[in-house]
Amino acid sequence: MTILVFGGNGQLGRELLRALSSLGTVVATTRSGTLTDGSTCEVADFNQPDSLVALLGRVRPDIVVNAAAYTAVDKAEQDAEAAFRANAEAPGVIARWCARAGVPFVHYSTDYVFDGEGTAPYREDQPTAPLGVYGTSKRDGEDRVRAAGGRHLIFRTAWVYAAHGNNFLRTMLRMGTERPALRVVADQIGTPTPAALIADVTAQALQHAGGLSGTWHLTASGQTSWHGFAEAIFAEALARGVLPKVPSVEAIASSEYPTSAKRPSWSVLDNSKLQQDFDILLPDWQEGLKRVIGELTP
C-alpha cells in the first residue's frame, strides 16, 4: 500500500512519516523536494493547486494524507489569496482526485473555524464562524473536501506542538533561556495537542474496519490557557533538566498582546465522537506534554 503525505517537513508531517510507515510505503512531499534530514522527496507546491493532479496521477497512492497548510495566522490577513490557495483550493483539488480514484483522503482542520464564543467544548455539528482569513480558508477547505464526494476523514485539531518545528513549546523554551520574566495570555483556553498523538491516531483510524467517513475533533483531553501551558512547560522542563532555571510567567489579557488576526478565546473541542467511533482513548494534555519534554531530555 502506498500512502502519499503532503507537508512532510511540518511538525505533523514529520510525525506522520513515522506513524504511517507501519501501514505501507510512505511517499513524502514538500515544497522544496527535500526533507529535514536532507533526503529528497516529491515536490508539491500548494501555491499552484492544479499542479498536484500530475503528482497524484504519477504516484497513484492508495491513501492520501494532507498535512500541508498555510498556517501564518497573522500574515494571512494581508495575504488572503495565498491562504485560500493552500488551505482551500489545493485540498479541493486533492479531494476531487481521491474521489474519482476511490482513495481515502485524510485532511486536517482547526479550532479556528469556530468563533471562540463558546463555553462548552465544541461538537463537530455546531455552526462554524471563523474570526479571520486563516479560519475562513480552513473552513472553505473542509467544505471542498466534503463536496468532492469521496471517502474523507477530516480531523480538526488545536494548539499543536512537538519537540521539533516552530511551535509554542519551543518558543517558550527558547525565551525561557533568554529572559528572566515572560508575559503570556491567560484568557484564551484550549487543549495543547502533540503532533505525535495526531499522527498515531490517524494511523489507528486508517486501520479501523468500519471505513468511516466524516469530521472528527482530534485533540488531547482537558483544557488550559496559554499561560497555564507555559507554566506547565517550564515546570516539566525544570524537573527533567531541560532547563537549569525557569522564568517567572505573568498572566496577561489578550488585549495586552495585540495581533493582526483575532484568536478564538475558547478553543476546546469535544473529542468524544472520535473516541467512540474509533475506540480510541485520548490522553490528558499534561501526559502528552511529559512525553514531548521527555524527547528533549539531555
Side-chain angles (χ1 to χ4, degrees):
M1 184 163 62
T2 300
I3 306 164
L4 182 63
V5 175
F6 288 102
N9 273 347
Q11 58 182 350
L12 176 55
R14 289 172 64 176
E15 295 293 346
L16 285 166
L17 299 185
R18 170 194 57 77
L20 299 176
S21 61
S22 62
L23 306 186
T25 300
V26 178
V27 177
T29 81
T30 66
R31 187 171 183 176
S32 66
T34 305
L35 292 170
T36 54
D37 63 4
S39 62
T40 59
C41 65
E42 297 285 349
V43 174
D45 186 357
F46 272 45
N47 204 38
Q48 301 182 52
D50 290 338
S51 69
L52 304 173
V53 174
L55 169 63
L56 289 158
R58 179 164 49 79
V59 176
R60 303 296 301 182
D62 300 292
I63 296 172
V64 177
V65 180
N66 178 34
Y70 185 111
T71 58
V73 175
D74 292 315
K75 186 180 177 182
E77 295 299 309
Q78 289 77 44
D79 198 12
E81 289 186 3
F84 274 88
R85 278 195 298 271
N87 292 343
E89 293 177 33
V93 167
I94 299 167
R96 289 191 293 274
W97 185 93
C98 288
R100 291 193 300 269
V103 171
F105 180 40
V106 178
H107 179 66
Y108 300 95
S109 191
T110 173
D111 58 297
Y112 278 65
V113 301
F114 296 110
D115 62 11
E117 297 299 318
T119 55
Y122 284 109
R123 302 186 315 274
E124 291 83 352
D125 59 358
Q126 288 184 255
T128 56
L131 298 174
V133 170
Y134 169 70
T136 304
S137 69
K138 292 297 288 184
R139 182 182 65 179
D140 194 355
E142 288 187 12
D143 290 343
R144 295 188 189 211
V145 171
R146 296 186 192 101
R151 184 191 170 199
H152 59 273
L153 295 89
I154 298 173
F155 294 125
R156 289 182 184 144
T157 189
W159 293 27
V160 181
Y161 70 100
H164 50 79
N166 298 315
N167 55 66
F168 183 80
L169 175 140
R170 285 174 57 83
T171 298
M172 288 296 102
L173 292 177
R174 175 178 55 79
M175 294 179 68
T177 64
E178 300 171 350
R179 305 179 189 179
L182 300 175
R183 305 170 77 238
V184 181
V185 169
D187 57 359
Q188 294 174 23
I189 308 299
T191 307
T193 303
L197 174 64
I198 301 169
D200 290 339
V201 169
T202 298
Q204 290 178 264
L206 286 170
Q207 295 176 83
H208 192 270
L212 300 176
S213 184
T215 302
W216 293 269
H217 290 168
L218 197 179
T219 66
S221 297
Q223 63 193 58
T224 189
S225 66
W226 287 116
H227 176 265
F229 188 25
E231 288 201 314
I233 289 169
F234 289 128
E236 189 66 23
L238 185 63
R240 296 289 192 102
V242 173
L243 293 179
K245 60 180 181 178
V246 297
S248 61
V249 185
E250 178 188 352
I252 64 170
S254 297
S255 58
E256 298 178 69
Y257 188 77
T259 55
S260 299
K262 186 178 180 182
R263 269 68 172 168
S265 59
W266 177 261
S267 290
V268 183
L269 304 179
D270 185 336
N271 56 33
S272 58
K273 179 173 180 278
L274 182 141
Q275 296 191 86
Q276 179 178 348
D277 286 353
F278 295 104
D279 192 25
I280 291 172
L281 180 63
L282 292 166
D284 186 83
W285 70 268
Q286 291 170 309
E287 181 181 334
L289 174 61
K290 290 179 180 179
R291 292 182 178 180
V292 174
I293 292 289
E295 296 179 36
L296 300 170
T297 302

